[in-house]
Structure formats: C-alpha cells, structure tokens
Amino acid sequence: MLLSSIAHTLYYVSAGSVFAPLLLCMYKYRTLNRVLRVLFLYLLVCAAVEVGNPMAAKHSMSSYFALQNVFTLVEATLLLVVYLLHATAPREKSILRVLLFTLLLFGLITFATGSRMGANDVLVKPVLSVVMIGLSIYNYFIVLRDLLRGTAHVEAYYFTFLNGSILIYFSTSFLGFVFGRYLETCPKPIFEMIWILNMTANIVYNGLMAVSVWMKKT
Amino acid sequence: MDEENIGFYFALSWAVIFVLAVCMLLFHFYYRAYLHKREQQKQIESFAAVVNAEERQKEAIANMIHDEVIHLLAVAAQHVYLNKPESREKTLSLVQQSISSLKSISIDLVPKTLMMFGLIRALAQHTRLINTDNGREIEFINDSIYTTEIPLPKSSEVMAYRICLEILNNLLKHSNFTYLRISATNTDNDLHIDFDHNGKGVTNQEIADMRDKSQGLGLKSLQSRLAILGATMDYSAGAELSSVKLTIPLEISGR
C-alpha cells in the first residue's frame, strides 16, 4: 500500500519535474547558448508529450504508442543535435551527423513499414538508448582527458550535468527494455519498487538538466 | 535463465547504474576542484598581469623622462651655470623642448582629449592619428547617443579607452587588415564598440586557447580590465569581415 502510494506520487512528481528545467530555461533565456536553446526546444516537446500522454492513452492505445514513437524520433534528433552543437572536433561532428542521419532513417523505416507507427516500439528506443549512453560515456572520457591534461574549459562545466543526466536516464530506459518481459511477470511489490527507482531516475534526469541550465553563465 | 536469475541480473544492473551515479558525483567534485584551482590560478595571473603592466608603464615613463627630458635639462643647466649672454636663447629653447617633451609624455599617460571630451572623442582622435601613421584605412563612426558625456566614472572611461587601444594594437599587429571600421552604438544599458575589419579574424575559442597557452601579458591584462569593468568581448571570424565586439555596461542612474 505504501509502495503503491509512493509510486503513484512519484509518477506525478516525475511528470511535473520536466517543468523545472523548462521554467529555468525561460528565466535564463538570454544566457542560453545554441546547445541549451535546442535543449529548451526538447524540453518544450517533453512537456507537451507529458501533457498529451494521458489524453492519447484515453483515446486509444495505438494513439498513445504513435505519440511515443514520434516523440522518440524527435527526442533522438534533438539530443543528437545537442551533442553535435557541443562537439568541437570536426571528426566528432561528422560522426554525429552520420549517427543522426542513420538513426532517423532507421526510425522512419521501422515506423513507416508495416504500419508500426501505432505499435509499441521495441527497436528504436533501445537503439537510441545505446547511442546516447555511448555518447555520454565518450563525452565523460573526453572531459576527463582534458582535466588530466589541464586543458578542460571552464565554460563547458554546465554540459557535464546535462551529460550525466542523459547517462542516467538512458541507462534506466535501456534496462526497461532489456528486462521488459521480466517486469511484466514480476510480483507487484517488486514492480512498484522498480517503478519508484525509474521515476526517481526521471526526476534526477530533469533535476540535472535544470542544474545544467542554471550553471550556464553568460 | 529462470526468473530468479533475471531478478538477480536486474538488481545487478541497477547496482551498476547506482555505481555510475556515484562515479558521476565524484567526477563532478573533481571537476569542481579543478575549476577552483584554475580560478585561483587565473586570479594570480591577472594580478601579476596588472602588476607587470604597472611596472612596464613605470619603466616606460622613466625611459621617456631619461631619454627626452633629463639630458635637455642637463644641457640647459650647464648653460645657466656658464651664464653667457649668447647661450640664453639656447637655454630657453632647451627648456621649451623639455616642456614639450613632458607634455607629450603626459598625453601618452592620460590623453587630454579623453579627460576633457570623453571616450568617444578620444577614440576618434586616436583613429585619426593612426590613419596618418600608416597606409591602412581606419574609419570611426559614432552612432551612439553619446558624444562627450558617457554615463561612466572617469576611471572606467580610462579603462575602456585602454581596452580599445589594446584591441587596436592587437589588430594592427596580428590581423593584417587594410580596412577597419570602429563603430560606437548604444542600447539602454550598454555601450557597444565594434571593430570590424577585413584582416585575419579569430574566434572566442581561439582567444581562450591563446590566453591559456600564451606566456604574454597582453591578453591577460585585457581580461583583467574587462573583469574590473564588467565588460564583455565577442570575437568572430568571417571570410570577408571579422569582428571584435566590446560591450561596456553603462552606469545609468535608477537602474
């Protein structure tokens, strides 16, 4: 009973937590660089999806899944653009452009063929998660290398929070797909505990994004 | 895999995520410590830059007085000592030369135009002086509402003037331009001085890298002056025109 109520409360807190970085972006709009402006757009989409989710679910499950699938594609595009704008090395930029193009093409083909747009996405989201986890770890590696060399930029500090949030969020998201079947059959208290962890990760994700926006100086 | 094992692996995966989160936290602490150290280092460098700039200025003044004034006065003193009627005119001429040298030194230290007519006029005058010095075309356009009185304390105006001179010097030394347009504009709260030129430009990132790597004091003392003034500088490099945009916050009363 206690777990149920915590899980229930956390669901609403998690849905509402997207507004923390969003409002902060609005408040600090003048200090936002191109990276954070794209993040702002992404947060606007996230907020719209959070609001649209219950409505779509009430209408039909296929509408709900269609909304989720479109969101996955938009999310992939915007987050990859965030990394693309943050990248400085030309080789890194080229790799990110190829990744972006491939992922979008893969997503479009997956959803467009066989009328899968209204079906539960089992392919694109895990692939996106793996790509984002990889990018995030790579970014940590680059920053750590620069720190050890003493060439890390003070201006890039804000991005590590954003990078960390992406790592946490997509790691938990990826686990959800890997252990999807287990979650369907596991006992309710265990499911609720996992749900609580998942929602906590989501809140941490939004919280870290808010910190990232806050840390950006002019 | 049976259900028990899956549960174990699932828990293990969450443990991995937890460890990742802890590593991230440690990483942030490390990064923060690095930034703190870097900030301290920058403060020391800025302080050293200011002290060194002062020392160089003192040295320059001493050299100018030694080379241009002292020997003139020494010769004049010799003439006075000899007290010959024919050397009176020479003495007078030497004293006049000394006065004019001292005048030019004092102008060099703090330009009179800046003190009397403000930053905009002083910049316009300096631009005219450079234009006569070399074959480059330098244009000064004042589109701001200010001509003589700028809402800035005199000390800040002097600092802004020094920053503009440093930018000009750097452009003259490194950018190889043939045309430079200096334009002053203003918004409600800021004065903008833009240096648009057709020479080799640099970006903010390149300047930050140069500042970090360079042993020279020019960029560092420029940075200190900007910090004291609360001003910002934005560099951009283009194929045809590159620019350095200086933004100086004005002290508008009631703000």
Side-chain angles (χ1 to χ4, degrees), chain B residues 172-240:
Chain B
L172 283 165
K173 263 199 251 172
H174 306 293
S175 76
N176 289 327
F177 66 85
T178 52
Y179 172 72
L180 167 67
R181 184 183 62 223
I182 306 170
S183 49
T185 52
N186 73 287
T187 54
D188 287 348
N189 301 322
D190 303 308
L191 177 72
H192 302 275
I193 300 174
D194 297 347
F195 299 77
D196 301 306
H197 61 92
N198 63 353
K200 186 179 173 283
V202 281
T203 60
N204 288 327
Q205 189 62 54
E206 283 168 331
I207 283 287
D209 289 343
M210 274 185 231
R211 206 169 35 234
D212 288 345
K213 286 170 195 162
S214 152
Q215 297 294 314
L217 296 167
L219 284 175
K220 279 169 190 158
S221 72
L222 191 65
Q223 191 62 28
S224 319
R225 285 197 172 114
L226 286 171
I228 294 167
L229 207 57
T232 55
M233 251 163 77
D234 186 36
Y235 294 84
S236 64
E240 287 180 9

Side-chain angles (χ1 to χ4, degrees), chain A residues 140 143-144 147-148 150-154 156-157 160-161 164 167-168 171-172 175 179 182-183 185 194 197-198 208 215, chain B residues 3 6-10 13-14 17 20-21 24 27-28 30-32 34-35 38-39 42 190 205 208-209 211-212 232:
Chain A
Y140 266 116
V143 179
L144 189 63
L147 279 174
L148 293 174
T151 54
H153 287 293
V154 179
Y157 182 52
T160 52
F161 289 97
L167 181 59
I168 295 234
S171 303
T172 55
L175 281 194
F179 295 98
Y182 167 71
L183 289 175
T185 55
I194 294 161
L197 282 173
N198 227 357
L208 282 174
M215 284 288 170
Chain B
E3 202 169 288
I6 293 177
F8 169 74
Y9 287 124
F10 192 57
S13 307
W14 268 101
I17 291 181
L20 262 178
M24 266 170 51
F27 181 85
H28 281 289
Y30 181 57
Y31 203 158
R32 221 181 155 76
Y34 168 85
L35 293 182
R38 184 88 179 262
E39 193 59 39
K42 268 194 174 168
D190 303 308
Q205 189 62 54
D209 289 343
R211 206 169 35 234
D212 288 345
T232 55

Side-chain angles (χ1 to χ4, degrees), chain A residues 81-213:
Chain A
V81 170
V82 162
Y83 275 99
L84 184 64
L85 291 175
H86 179 71
T88 47
R91 210 176 74 176
E92 236 175 90
K93 277 182 184 283
S94 318
I95 293 172
L96 280 166
R97 274 193 204 105
V98 172
L99 259 179
L100 180 62
F101 179 73
T102 315
L103 202 69
L104 276 179
L105 199 70
F106 174 64
L108 284 173
I109 291 170
T110 311
F111 291 141
T113 53
S115 312
R116 286 170 57 100
M117 200 49 149
N120 191 11
D121 158 38
V122 286
L123 264 179
V124 182
K125 199 126 192 172
V127 172
L128 169 70
S129 299
V130 171
V131 169
M132 296 314 293
I133 290 167
L135 275 177
S136 175
I137 290 172
Y138 173 72
N139 209 278
Y140 266 116
F141 168 74
I142 295 288
V143 179
L144 189 63
R145 187 198 64 191
D146 289 347
L147 279 174
L148 293 174
R149 285 181 183 169
T151 54
H153 287 293
V154 179
E155 297 80 20
Y157 182 52
Y158 81 95
F159 195 80
T160 52
F161 289 97
L162 180 59
N163 195 43
S165 73
I166 286 171
L167 181 59
I168 295 234
Y169 175 72
F170 283 99
S171 303
T172 55
S173 174
F174 185 65
L175 281 194
F177 287 103
V178 173
F179 295 98
R181 197 160 287 176
Y182 167 71
L183 289 175
E184 281 168 14
T185 55
C186 70
K188 198 181 171 213
I190 293 179
F191 178 80
E192 280 171 344
M193 269 163 54
I194 294 161
W195 180 255
I196 287 170
L197 282 173
N198 227 357
M199 289 300 110
T200 311
N202 210 16
I203 294 164
V204 169
Y205 174 59
N206 290 323
L208 282 174
M209 276 203 283
V211 174
S212 183
V213 175

Side-chain angles (χ1 to χ4, degrees), chain B residues 81-145:
Chain B
Y81 178 74
L82 293 172
N83 201 16
K84 285 180 184 167
E86 65 268 21
S87 61
R88 266 192 196 157
E89 264 183 38
K90 273 186 184 170
T91 313
L92 191 64
S93 150
L94 286 167
V95 171
Q96 272 168 346
Q97 274 185 56
S98 308
I99 291 168
S100 117
S101 291
L102 281 170
K103 246 187 196 173
S104 73
I105 291 170
S106 83
I107 286 171
D108 212 44
L109 285 174
V110 185
K112 229 174 185 170
T113 324
L114 177 67
M115 288 323 211
M116 287 174 72
F117 303 110
L119 176 68
I120 301 288
R121 290 267 180 93
L123 276 177
Q125 191 202 39
H126 192 81
T127 311
R128 275 196 298 276
L129 280 172
I130 301 177
N131 260 333
T132 54
D133 280 359
N134 54 50
R136 294 164 170 181
E137 189 193 343
I138 305 176
E139 191 182 8
F140 182 83
I141 301 164
N142 179 23
D143 285 330
S144 75
I145 57 167

